[in-house]
Amino acid sequence: AQSVTQPDIHITVSEGASLELRCNYSYGATPYLFWYVQSPGQGLQLLLKYFSGDTLVQGIKGFEAEFKRSQSSFNLRKPSVHWSDAAEYFCAVGDYNTDKLIFGTGTRLQVFP
Amino acid sequence: ETGVTQSPTHLIKTRGQQVTLRCSSQSGHNTVSWYQQALGQGPQFIFQYYREEENGRGNFPPRFSGLQFPNYSSELNVNALELDDSALYLCASSLASTSVAGANVLTFGAGSRLTVL
């Protein structure tokens, strides 16, 4: 069955530090992978997506993610975190036939000044 | 270009009641999906509508139903509300493409937060 695992429920980093949020997926075919961010009281905003090609994808707000097929992972990274990055981050895999997204349970990022 | 708008933003209902949530798609989009996000969880797919017909459904009972209108706006209806229906309901629109199935990017609204007492 298709699934997404985000092992870290809550991560705290200092402003300016680097960040890596983990995501592992289970999917039978080549996955379509997404990272979304959700600020309090807001909907989901797409950070980046992977469909095919270059396994390192760039997104908005300075985020990037790397697809590693051998590890079934799609980890999100940012070299220097800003206080405004504090939010909930969701990894998702796209279903090939229906555009349905299967989300992980999210990682809450807290940023200290 | 307008985004996805949802109404109402917040509402409170009691068990057994019925609720209707509304969604206006982003301009140019023809597909609408609904997701339920319980507190502390990731969004769960409810169903998707394309050309005014249901096009895929998640693991939700029949008391969850929907409509899509000719202008691509949509409604989510939930009958016989239960306490566990308390959640943020997210609407997302996209433009169906035949080029790469499953590659369509969803644009989400801010959601409707439903509390069932």
Side-chain angles (χ1 to χ4, degrees):
Chain A
Q2 304 155 2
S3 66
V4 175
T5 301
Q6 294 181 248
D8 304 306
I9 297 172
H10 186 200
I11 285 183
T12 302
V13 299
S14 299
E15 192 170 19
S18 63
L19 173 70
E20 182 168 24
L21 302 182
R22 295 183 290 165
C23 172
N24 293 96
Y25 66 89
S26 173
Y27 192 74
T30 300
Y32 300 115
L33 295 161
F34 305 80
W35 275 98
Y36 282 86
V37 61
Q38 185 177 38
S39 298
Q42 301 297 313
L44 298 168
Q45 181 183 21
L46 179 68
L47 287 175
L48 47 76
K49 60 187 183 292
Y50 171 79
F51 292 160
S52 64
D54 193 347
T55 57
L56 183 63
V57 294
Q58 302 298 319
I60 62 171
K61 304 185 179 186
F63 286 94
E64 66 177 26
E66 186 171 12
F67 169 60
K68 293 185 177 180
R69 185 187 301 275
S70 61
Q71 298 177 21
S72 298
S73 70
F74 189 56
N75 294 348
L76 181 71
R77 300 193 294 248
K78 186 169 184 178
S80 178
V81 171
H82 188 263
W83 64 267
S84 61
D85 293 324
E88 187 95 22
Y89 291 80
F90 292 95
C91 180
V93 62
D95 182 85
Y96 185 85
N97 293 312
T98 67
D99 302 335
K100 158 189 168 183
L101 292 181
I102 300 163
F103 286 88
T105 51
T107 297
R108 179 165 298 280
L109 174 65
Q110 192 169 10
V111 180
F112 280 112
Chain B
E1 174 180 280
T2 57
V4 176
T5 57
Q6 293 187 242
S7 63
T9 55
H10 295 82
L11 71 166
I12 300 173
K13 294 284 187 179
T14 57
R15 273 187 306 174
Q17 285 189 312
Q18 178 265 343
V19 67
T20 297
L21 308 178
R22 295 178 174 82
C23 172
S24 294
S25 303
Q26 178 170 305
S27 177
H29 286 182
N30 59 9
T31 302
V32 174
S33 304
W34 286 91
Y35 287 77
Q36 180 196 65
Q37 185 179 15
L39 197 63
Q41 300 296 316
Q44 299 285 321
F45 175 73
I46 303 175
F47 43 54
Q48 181 184 81
Y49 278 81
Y50 173 64
R51 292 184 175 178
E52 302 178 46
E53 292 190 358
E54 190 176 290
N55 178 38
R57 187 179 184 93
N59 188 27
F60 281 82
R63 58 189 186 83
F64 285 78
S65 63
L67 287 172
Q68 186 184 31
F69 300 100
N71 65 354
Y72 306 122
S73 65
S74 177
E75 286 183 355
L76 165 65
N77 298 289
V78 187
N79 294 321
L81 284 168
E82 301 176 0
L83 296 179
D84 285 348
D85 295 334
S86 295
L88 180 67
Y89 288 85
L90 295 165
C91 172
S93 70
S94 58
L95 178 61
S97 169
T98 57
S99 61
V100 182
N104 302 311
V105 176
L106 303 185
T107 300
F108 283 85
S112 294
R113 183 163 298 281
L114 171 65
T115 301
V116 182
L117 301 177

